[in-house]
Amino acid sequence: MASSRPQRPRLDTTTPNMGRVADYFLGGKDNFAVDREAAEAALAITPELPALWREGRRFLGRAVRFLAQEAGIRQFVDIGCGLPTQGNVHEIAHSVAPDARVVYVDNDPMVVVHGQALLQDDRLTVVIEADVREPELLLSHPRLTEMIDLDEPVAILLFGVLQDIPDDALVLQISDHLRKAISPGSYMAISQPVSDLRPEATAKLAAFYQDEGAISGPRREGLRTKTEVERCFEGLDLVDPGVVYIPQWRPDGVVLHRPDSIWVVGGIGRKA
Ligand SMILES: C[S@@+](CC[C@H](N)C(=O)[O-])C[C@H]1O[C@@H](n2cnc3c(N)ncnc32)[C@H](O)[C@@H]1O
């Protein structure tokens, strides 16, 4: 009988994987030849990709610091966490609140194995394998429910992951499910690359990743627009300054790239 469950990615060294491609862009070593080739081909289309990834990590840092420091959040669920790199969510959260609990979630077995090995001595941080396309299963994972009390405020982080799900209706179902599952006073933070600033190049890039098999699901022409990403925050109160290009989200004064070269938007919403 055919299963309607999303396909679980295998540890496949013949198909590029977005997490490993990102690792290559960030100067990491956890990537295979196929990832490096895909990364180089993607760079030929959009040479600014490494800058996007670096700005993505800087946004993650500012967002998690805001959540731990200003919003007082002590529970984090980082979905599509990717391979461990520098400035990971638990490191930032623990620098503000040493008692914060962090659950990392990814559907890539390589990410999960790596993270588990790195964090085996950390009582307050776990890594689980789950798929954001199955949010109910994800939130009821026994390792997650041991760490996270969904009756208390929590921050759900979706940094650079929803663009890997081409189905718009599914993405809205996911954000809706997550919003309903969290308690008042909780937050959802999302970042996603968008098409608005560079429609042609980003459409080419999206087609390339889909052709390479790095993104699965129904084919989608191009990336989402900023307005489409904003819909994921429906039902939440947007924290100032709203959904903006990530260098403009509460900047820390260090300007590394021209803001209009970073076509990733991000924001944080609060459940009232
Ligand atoms: C490009 S990385 C982003 C890493 C990190 N969040 C960041 O912003 O630097 C995207 C991650 O999402 C994971 N991912 C993609 N689709 C997913 C899904 N359906 N469920 C869970 N994780 C997924 C990939 O395996 C990858 O590790």
Side-chain angles (χ1 to χ4, degrees):
M1 199 171 78
S3 162
S4 61
R5 293 198 56 194
Q7 220 182 338
R8 176 177 181 259
R10 292 166 296 130
L11 182 45
D12 179 358
T13 58
T14 60
T15 308
N17 166 282
M18 296 299 279
R20 300 191 310 247
V21 169
D23 176 71
Y24 177 74
F25 287 142
L26 292 167
K29 295 188 178 64
D30 298 312
N31 45 73
F32 299 112
V34 68
D35 306 309
R36 295 189 284 277
E37 278 162 28
E40 289 299 336
L43 277 178
I45 304 170
T46 42
E48 63 274 39
L49 278 174
L52 253 62
W53 283 109
R54 279 195 295 275
E55 286 292 345
R57 298 301 296 185
R58 295 181 70 218
F59 168 69
L60 174 151
R62 297 195 301 280
V64 173
R65 210 162 288 116
F66 162 82
L67 290 163
Q69 215 153 36
E70 291 186 42
I73 292 292
R74 296 292 176 264
Q75 315 190 91
F76 294 84
V77 181
D78 181 8
I79 305 178
C81 56
L83 284 159
T85 172
Q86 280 158 13
N88 297 301
V89 169
H90 73 288
E91 293 162 331
I92 301 159
H94 289 160
S95 72
V96 177
D99 59 335
R101 295 184 299 285
V102 178
V103 175
Y104 287 116
V105 182
D106 208 285
N107 71 341
D108 177 2
M110 180 167 159
V111 167
V112 175
V113 167
H114 246 77
Q116 284 172 342
L118 201 77
L119 294 165
Q120 56 186 345
D121 297 327
D122 188 330
R123 262 180 335 104
L124 297 172
T125 310
V126 296
V127 188
I128 63 169
E129 186 179 330
D131 197 305
V132 73
R133 291 169 292 182
E134 298 179 314
E136 198 170 348
L137 264 184
L138 189 159
L139 290 179
S140 58
H141 191 291
R143 296 287 282 137
L144 185 145
T145 53
E146 270 171 27
M147 296 283 280
I148 304 289
D149 179 357
L150 286 176
D151 293 330
E152 293 292 323
V154 61
I156 304 280
L157 313 177
L158 293 156
F159 295 134
V161 58
L162 295 177
Q163 76 282 353
D164 291 356
I165 302 169
D167 183 339
D168 292 328
L170 179 56
V171 162
L172 290 179
Q173 272 168 32
I174 291 169
S175 54
D176 192 54
H177 185 102
L178 294 172
R179 188 191 72 247
K180 286 180 178 148
I182 56 181
S183 59
S186 294
Y187 291 81
M188 255 167 64
I190 299 174
S191 67
Q192 238 187 109
V194 292
S195 59
D196 311 49
L197 294 178
R198 299 205 53 201
E200 279 168 32
T202 52
K204 235 170 143 181
L205 186 70
F208 169 75
Y209 280 139
Q210 289 179 86
D211 291 344
E212 290 284 304
I215 292 180
S216 57
R219 205 174 169 86
R220 171 176 222 294
E221 287 312 313
L223 296 177
R224 296 197 168 90
T225 62
K226 181 169 178 287
T227 306
E228 285 171 322
V229 174
E230 279 163 356
R231 288 193 194 121
C232 296
F233 289 94
E234 244 158 56
L236 297 170
D237 298 333
L238 278 172
V239 168
D240 221 35
V243 179
V244 293
Y245 287 96
I246 51 176
Q248 294 156 18
W249 197 91
R250 301 192 176 217
D252 57 11
V254 183
V255 179
L256 295 182
H257 308 101
R258 271 200 1 244
D260 62 356
S261 66
I262 306 297
W263 31 269
V264 177
V265 296
I268 299 186
R270 180 178 188 277
K271 181 164 170 174

